[in-house]
Amino acid sequence: MTQNVDADKTKSRALREWIAEIARLTTPDRIVWCDGSEDERRRLTAMAVQAGTLIPLSQQKKPGSFLHRSNPNDVARTEQLTFICTPNKDDAGPTNNWSPPDETYAKLRGWLKNSMRGRTMYVVPYVMGPIGSPFSKVGVEITDSIYVVLNMRIMTRMGSAALAMLGDSDDFCRGVHCTLDVNPDRRLICHFPQDNAIWSVGSGYGGNALLSKKCFALRIASWQGRSEGWLAEHMLILGMRSPSGETRYVAAAFPSACGKTNLAMLTPPSDLSGWKVFTVGDDIAWLRVGSDGRLWAVNPENGYFGVAPGTNAHSNPNAMAMVGHDTIFTNVAMTPDGDVWWEGMDTAPPVNLLDWQGRPWHQESNDKAAHPNSRFTTPMTNNPALSPHVNDPEGVPISAIVFGGRRATTMPLVLESENWAHGVYMGATMGSETTAAAAGAVGVVRRDPMAMLPFCGYNMGDYFAHWLKMQSAIKHPPRIFMVNWFRKDRDGKFLWPGYGENMRVLKWMLDRIDGRAGATDTPVGRVPRLDDLDLQGLELPGDQLREDLAIKKDEWSAEIESASNFFEKFGGTMPPELREKHRGLAQSLNSAHL
Ligand code: GTP
Ligand code: SPV
Ligand code: MN
């Protein structure tokens, strides 16, 4: 048993002491400090293959790529087992699960006692944000899972560079991850923002286990952002280059599995010639006010943990190209010749497919071959549309913020807010149908403010106030919009073709900002008229688009009612400004003739 931490690994005494403390608790057979080298990747990959954790794919069809099958009880984030452990319950607010820090630490320590006996403890230092950026932050994840290490290697700037950045400082996020026996009865994902610490036990999947992502970069970072005056958001960041060569940036928040990765790397329709989209980030944005009074965004991640189903050469050619090599696939189906397959790939399912659990699968089967939340982990450098500014230390300046949900009804294709406060109101009241990205029922509409309901590390009432307060610091605020790619007709078919065609909506936003495009006022915001959108080359019946843009009084009355009930939860922490906005909107809707 190795409990002495080599002094030569890090200059940070706080890090050495913390590693020693967790090692005393979990008693691993050995401690391995990850350096992020290519040699280390090869070694760990070989061990994972040996252990059956990774299945090599065909090196002709998918060079450098592997398949991982997770425990079938562990296939998505578990929000009901995710806790914010602040000293005060009110600090977590009415939308988070809360448990008291002391009791929670005691319980977790009990579970973790000797939990790494016979196993290796990996120490994974990582940087969130570009190396050398004053906005970047260091985290260290302790884990007993090679799969987690290999994913963290793709998702973050991991290894020696992080220790170099940390130096002798004690300022790092402390993440303890232990898979235990993947038993849902001993699974908890706990955040201690006041200690800059995360303890995650009993799950090896995605956002539960890759602690850099939702746990640090959103829950802990949102807490830090409130006290330091910035925002940590569940947002993609994209650049749009116009035919004249000017690039403008947009940050967009959609809930899990609602289209961020797809929008972030979209291929514009050929009819909009000369336009190109560049990806800065696909899931998380850290936003700060620059010295020029604009809002600047950094993507703290280094790779993509993207949804596989629905990805195909038509919907997302860039994603198909980037997962063609050096990718870890989780819970997708496997073909007999060592390739991957999932629903919505747009190719007929090959015969003799193995499903995500490794069982033979037949076309007549009612079960999905790939799990609906199956994913790819791929380095951002694989993305053909990667922005050349992704490593810029100051980030990119944001011209528009977009909120969006998955709504079969009510929400039009796009809505423009009047001003910052109205935009914050739109984000705060937004709803979306639940998806397979989290365990539980799928397709139920719930309020998911700013797509942050499961990811805000503090009281969401205070979070809304923080958003409102940011306005005074941003001299040139981005304009705020709301979108919905998922409205359906009576037969349940999507009204809008989506994917690359979403470029037309993005273009309208820029045209609005620049005063080139028109809109019509409605009680709930501004909506384009048919000829305000650039529809060249798009074959879409006018009636269908009209239906997609319609504001319907009965639907909106229900929406307002639902938002009222949601606001009620917050009591005194709800900013009066939003309540006022809500009352005004309800009134004008009531008196409007729609
Ligand atoms: P997380 O990684 O969970 O945060 O998801 P995400 O927001 O990045 O969603 P992603 O882009 O992976 O899309 C999720 C699902 O929505 C996929 O099955 C996509 O095919 C589908 N989707 C994405 N964009 C569109 C669109 O514009 N229209 C329609 N109909 N479906 C879309
Ligand atoms: C999400 O659920 O929003 C994801 C996947 O991006 S996970 O990393 O599991 O959170
Ligand atoms: Mn996400």
Side-chain angles (χ1 to χ4, degrees):
M1 192 167 55
T2 315
Q3 288 181 4
N4 296 325
V5 177
D6 312 321
D8 64 335
K9 295 292 183 195
T10 172
K11 292 198 192 78
S12 166
R13 190 170 148 191
L15 175 55
R16 288 198 304 271
E17 287 178 356
W18 174 66
I19 299 296
E21 178 199 330
I22 302 302
R24 275 194 301 276
L25 174 67
T26 58
T27 59
D29 276 17
R30 67 198 78 76
I31 299 176
V32 170
W33 290 68
C34 296
D35 59 16
S37 66
E38 190 50 34
D39 187 49
E40 174 182 86
R41 186 188 67 78
R42 268 196 296 271
R43 227 175 325 114
L44 293 178
T45 303
M47 282 167 65
V49 169
Q50 181 81 39
T53 307
L54 290 184
I55 300 162
L57 293 167
S58 156
Q59 296 306 296
Q60 279 77 48
K61 294 185 184 286
K62 291 282 181 288
S65 302
F66 298 85
L67 167 66
H68 171 74
R69 296 189 184 120
S70 77
N71 189 310
N73 80 28
D74 188 32
V75 293
R77 283 182 295 99
T78 44
E79 295 177 4
Q80 73 286 7
L81 301 176
T82 301
F83 286 80
I84 303 296
C85 309
T86 44
N88 221 316
K89 187 169 194 286
D90 283 348
D91 289 339
T95 58
N96 278 314
N97 299 313
W98 175 82
S99 67
D102 290 352
E103 253 172 59
T104 312
Y105 275 131
K107 179 175 181 172
L108 292 169
R109 280 179 191 284
W111 287 359
L112 289 192
K113 200 162 170 35
N114 300 326
S115 60
M116 294 193 193
R117 185 172 279 167
R119 311 180 60 125
T120 301
M121 173 201 268
Y122 295 95
V123 178
V124 184
Y126 61 92
V127 179
M128 297 309 279
I131 300 281
S133 163
F135 305 139
S136 297
K137 290 188 181 284
V138 175
V140 181
E141 175 165 354
I142 292 173
T143 179
D144 61 351
S145 158
I146 298 187
Y147 169 78
V148 166
V149 176
L150 290 170
N151 274 272
M152 289 292 286
R153 191 178 189 284
I154 298 174
M155 295 305 297
T156 69
R157 289 139 175 115
M158 181 266 256
S160 312
L163 293 180
M165 179 167 157
L166 181 64
D168 60 5
S169 164
D170 63 356
D171 183 12
F172 62 96
C173 179
R174 292 147 173 78
V176 179
H177 171 250
C178 188
T179 322
L180 289 187
D181 51 354
V182 206
N183 174 355
D185 294 334
R186 287 201 302 171
R187 179 174 298 159
L188 279 180
I189 296 86
C190 297
H191 305 72
F192 305 87
Q194 67 284 358
D195 302 333
N196 199 359
I198 305 152
W199 289 51
S200 165
V201 178
S203 165
Y205 201 82
N208 283 349
L210 310 178
L211 302 186
S212 59
K213 199 172 178 52
K214 298 310 183 0
C215 298
F216 179 25
L218 289 179
R219 298 197 189 93
I220 299 282
S222 61
W223 170 288
Q224 295 172 334
R226 178 183 48 163
S227 58
E228 297 166 9
W230 54 281
L231 294 162
E233 297 297 327
H234 192 199
M235 288 178 174
L236 68 95
I237 308 162
L238 64 80
M240 277 188 277
R241 193 179 63 199
S242 71
S244 71
E246 189 197 13
T247 303
R248 313 275 283 279
Y249 295 89
V250 171
F254 311 153
S256 303
C258 291
K260 287 183 301 301
T261 302
N262 278 273
L263 193 71
M265 55 192 69
L266 77 69
T267 306
S270 55
D271 314 296
L272 300 185
S273 67
W275 285 88
K276 182 162 168 48
V277 165
F278 297 92
T279 319
V280 179
D282 83 322
D283 198 50
I284 296 174
W286 286 357
L287 302 150
R288 295 169 197 265
V289 186
S291 53
D292 60 357
R294 291 189 291 175
L295 193 61
W296 290 72
V298 153
N299 166 21
E301 300 192 283
N302 197 40
Y304 314 119
F305 184 61
V307 175
T311 310
N312 63 57
H314 169 74
S315 65
N316 194 342
N318 287 318
M320 287 307 279
M322 78 190 182
V323 304
H325 61 102
D326 301 300
T327 294
I328 299 174
F329 295 90
T330 302
N331 292 344
V332 299
M334 187 171 142
T335 70
D337 55 358
D339 207 343
V340 294
W341 191 85
W342 47 74
E343 278 73 17
M345 195 185 252
D346 255 12
T347 56
V351 284
N352 296 329
L353 200 61
L354 294 180
D355 76 2
W356 62 278
Q357 298 185 65
R359 303 172 306 191
W361 184 87
H362 308 285
Q363 216 159 339
E364 308 76 49
S365 168
N366 288 326
D367 296 334
K368 302 269 192 219
H371 189 276
N373 191 37
S374 55
R375 300 236 168 200
F376 51 78
T377 320
T378 206
M380 66 180 182
T381 48
N382 276 20
N383 177 4
L386 186 67
S387 164
H389 297 288
V390 73
N391 287 315
D392 285 8
E394 71 280 13
V396 294
I398 298 298
S399 299
I401 288 178
V402 181
F403 295 117
R406 182 183 282 268
R407 296 297 300 272
T409 67
T410 318
M411 249 333 134
L413 177 63
V414 58
L415 260 183
E416 181 192 323
S417 66
E418 285 157 24
N419 51 36
W420 183 267
H422 182 213
V424 172
Y425 170 84
M426 278 181 176
T429 50
M430 98 188 206
S432 193
E433 292 156 21
T434 51
T435 66
V442 166
V444 183
V445 175
R446 67 172 184 186
R447 295 295 116 195
D448 188 352
M450 282 86 169
M452 281 289 279
L453 182 75
F455 308 121
C456 185
Y458 61 101
N459 191 321
M460 278 203 116
D462 296 332
Y463 170 78
F464 299 145
H466 182 47
W467 261 89
L468 289 171
K469 201 173 132 211
M470 286 297 289
Q471 182 178 16
S472 56
I474 316 172
K475 206 158 139 209
H476 307 290
R479 194 159 313 174
I480 302 180
F481 298 86
M482 183 95 208
V483 298
N484 177 23
W485 314 137
F486 301 95
R487 200 168 186 180
K488 290 180 175 171
D489 68 11
R490 263 195 232 106
D491 302 327
K493 287 216 294 286
F494 289 120
L495 286 162
W496 178 250
Y499 300 104
E501 303 296 344
N502 295 335
M503 183 67 205
R504 299 175 192 274
V505 177
L506 295 177
K507 181 167 178 280
W508 178 75
M509 293 175 186
L510 290 191
D511 287 341
R512 286 293 298 163
I513 292 168
D514 296 340
R516 281 192 299 263
T520 184
D521 271 313
T522 84
V524 296
R526 298 183 186 127
V527 185
R529 294 156 302 194
L530 253 49
D531 54 4
D532 291 325
L533 290 166
D534 186 341
L535 301 172
Q536 336 170 29
L538 178 65
E539 281 178 38
L540 190 65
D543 281 350
Q544 187 172 326
L545 186 54
R546 226 169 271 124
E547 181 68 12
D548 200 19
L549 291 168
I551 304 293
K552 298 187 179 174
K553 199 162 177 172
D554 54 338
E555 291 180 344
W556 275 94
S557 302
E559 190 69 9
I560 298 255
E561 168 92 29
S562 164
S564 299
N565 297 338
F566 184 66
F567 277 16
E568 278 316 306
K569 281 190 182 189
F570 293 94
T573 57
M574 193 63 179
E577 197 174 345
L578 289 189
R579 285 192 196 282
E580 198 44 54
K581 195 102 220 149
H582 186 67
R583 261 194 299 273
L585 200 141
Q587 259 164 23
S588 48
L589 185 75
N590 226 341
S591 52
H593 297 285
L594 290 172

